[in-house]
Amino acid sequence: MRRSGIRLLAAVVGGALVLAGCGGGGGDKSPSRPAPADLANKSAPHQPIPRGKGSKVSDDFNGDGARDLVLDALAHRGQGDDPGIGIVYGSSRNGLAPGARQLLTAHAQGARTKGQLPAAFESEASCDLNEDGFTDLLVSTDPPYDGQGQPPVPLQLLFGSPAGLIGKAVKLQVPARARLGNDWADQPVCGDFDGDGAHDLVLHASNAHLTYLRGPFTRKGAPRAAGKPIAAPGNDLASGAPAVDVNGDGYDDLVVREEARASKGSLVLGGPKGPGRTGVLFPTSTDVAFGTFGRAKAMDAALAAPGGIALRYDVPGTARAKIDVRNARVYAGDLDGDGRSELVVGGGGPGEVWVYRGRATGLAANATATVVPAQSSGKGTVQVLKVADFDGDRRADVVVRTAWGQGRDRVEVYPGRAGAEGPVARKAGVTFSTERFR
């Protein structure tokens, strides 16, 4: 499909959002790779992490009312294979503040297992598990395991506080009755699946079953309750996609399917007793995003597959349109503040991120897309990291990372904008590098 629009030139490696400068419509020329000094200058000097009093904002680890950004893919030249997890804290006035940053590592924050610190330390999910007004972070590790019997739980919790994510992690406690078989208890998904207002967790169990842990959780990582594993027809691996109330009944739902490959999946619906029944079976896909692309308050789905992106309106619905962008990642967010979601597509071409605008009639397969221009991409790899509101204007922003090998990168935040010139700004509002995360 021929696509035209605004070009955002950016590059990203190892994250969820990558923007680069070539391909697609328009005639922009990609600039050469920026000099190391130029990239280094994009990271502000360290500044104190703002202290908060608690909030209900998502991903607000210090509770000051501003969303924070989690970065797993860091420029890590000279820091080994796993440099850790980066956190950039937000400001309620200006959005992300690159100087208010933090590096979380297994050495500094990891909990020991049999006296050993984990070698891996990667973020998995985030939500306020203990209901104190500060978002908590779930981290995946690699505890020692001899391959015999049931492996230990690899998930650890870092609790938020007025000063952010401080202190040592604790191990997530999964009661034996909530496990099945000898698979790893992993693939966590946060959500309020029973509608009681507290965040719960769903984990992979085994043999088309899921582990359901009811929140709130204690500071020692224990759930309020946990029963026997629940059946998950369609597959048994939680996809890692954020939970969402697809059918508007007040209970969060989640998608399960095989990990890191094209496979069929299912939507498991929440209820008074938690997730327990399959609402719809999805065709083969590699990624899914939910949003209100068409009629207001009606939840739709975009399913990315090797052959293109299928659009289902009014889930479960039937496929009504298809966007010819292959091998892509999909994200949804209301970028222009009109109450409808835009579809953000990354990875479908060399360094391209496309934004399809929501409208009353939905997304059309032949719609003109806006291209997010990732700056100075050169031959870098571009990824979309997040689509969310970081500056508090009630419009989602697009965060893109461009990486040049392991030692150079650039992260750019493109604000959403209203009006005819929307739905995303041509110029990044915040730009920084992760090279200074130490």
Side-chain angles (χ1 to χ4, degrees):
M1 179 181 71
R2 180 179 176 84
R3 294 161 290 184
S4 61
I6 304 170
R7 168 74 43 97
L8 292 175
L9 306 177
V12 178
V13 154
L17 174 59
V18 182
L19 303 180
C22 53
D28 297 350
K29 294 182 179 180
S30 299
S32 60
R33 169 176 168 168
D38 295 334
L39 284 173
N41 289 336
K42 295 302 181 181
S43 286
H46 263 297
Q47 64 188 66
I49 294 171
R51 292 187 65 88
K53 297 181 179 180
S55 80
K56 293 186 178 298
V57 173
S58 299
D59 291 343
D60 184 8
F61 302 110
N62 58 336
D64 66 344
R67 183 187 287 264
D68 309 317
L69 176 66
V70 180
L71 296 158
D72 259 307
L74 305 178
H76 60 277
R77 183 173 54 181
Q79 297 186 65
D81 293 334
D82 188 2
I85 302 166
I87 307 293
V88 177
Y89 289 87
S91 163
S92 57
R93 290 185 177 181
N94 302 313
L96 292 176
R101 59 184 182 268
Q102 181 182 19
L103 179 64
L104 308 172
T105 66
H107 179 75
Q109 280 84 24
R112 293 180 180 271
T113 299
K114 296 182 178 180
Q116 297 184 30
L117 285 171
F121 209 65
E122 299 179 356
S123 70
E124 289 286 347
S126 59
C127 55
D128 184 3
L129 291 171
N130 61 343
E131 291 193 294
D132 63 353
F134 303 93
T135 303
D136 311 309
L137 184 67
L138 282 115
V139 177
S140 180
T141 68
D142 60 344
Y145 176 52
D146 61 8
Q148 302 299 314
Q150 202 168 71
V153 176
L155 299 173
Q156 299 186 5
L157 300 178
L158 283 165
F159 289 100
S161 76
L165 294 168
I166 59 175
K168 286 281 187 179
V170 301
K171 299 175 186 176
L172 177 67
Q173 298 182 32
V174 182
R177 63 181 176 276
R179 299 190 65 177
L180 180 69
N182 293 330
D183 284 358
W184 292 93
D186 56 7
Q187 309 295 317
V189 178
C190 284
D192 182 8
F193 302 106
D194 57 7
D196 66 353
H199 283 104
D200 314 309
L201 287 177
V202 170
L203 314 176
H204 163 65
S206 181
N207 299 324
H209 284 75
L210 301 171
T211 292
Y212 171 49
L213 306 177
R214 288 178 181 263
F217 289 70
T218 69
R219 295 284 300 189
K220 293 184 178 180
R224 177 173 63 88
K228 294 181 179 180
I230 57 178
N235 217 299
D236 64 335
L237 281 172
S239 69
V244 62
D245 183 5
V246 173
N247 55 3
D249 62 356
Y251 307 100
D252 281 342
D253 314 308
L254 75 151
V255 175
V256 293
R257 60 174 175 77
E258 290 185 37
E259 182 187 16
R261 57 172 294 181
S263 65
K264 294 181 178 180
S266 61
L267 180 69
V268 179
L269 300 177
K273 296 183 179 179
R277 64 188 181 90
T278 297
V280 61
L281 296 176
F282 286 129
T284 298
S285 66
T286 56
D287 197 17
V288 60
F290 292 102
T292 53
F293 304 123
R295 294 187 301 110
K297 298 183 180 180
M299 190 65 69
D300 311 311
L303 297 123
I309 301 171
L311 301 172
R312 283 182 174 232
Y313 292 99
D314 299 337
V315 175
T318 56
R320 285 179 45 192
K322 188 175 181 179
I323 297 176
D324 189 18
V325 181
R326 306 183 181 192
N327 301 310
R329 296 293 306 273
V330 288
Y331 312 82
D334 183 3
L335 301 180
D336 54 11
D338 68 351
R340 296 189 182 91
S341 303
E342 276 64 57
L343 177 64
V344 180
V345 179
E352 296 177 349
V353 174
W354 300 89
V355 178
Y356 293 84
R357 200 165 194 170
R359 56 185 185 178
T361 55
L363 301 171
N366 61 350
T368 299
T370 298
V371 186
V372 179
Q375 301 298 327
S376 303
S377 61
K379 295 183 179 180
T381 303
V382 178
Q383 292 175 307
V384 175
L385 296 176
K386 195 77 173 181
V387 176
D389 179 12
F390 287 96
D391 54 15
D393 64 356
R394 298 186 180 182
R395 296 191 294 267
D397 311 308
V398 181
V399 184
V400 177
R401 177 176 181 253
T402 302
W404 297 270
Q406 297 178 343
R408 295 284 183 267
D409 78 345
R410 184 193 302 273
V411 179
E412 295 166 302
V413 183
Y414 291 90
R417 63 181 183 181
E421 294 184 354
V424 65
R426 290 180 58 91
K427 184 178 180 180
V430 176
T431 302
F432 63 93
S433 170
T434 69
E435 295 173 52
R436 291 189 179 182
F437 277 72
R438 299 288 190 271

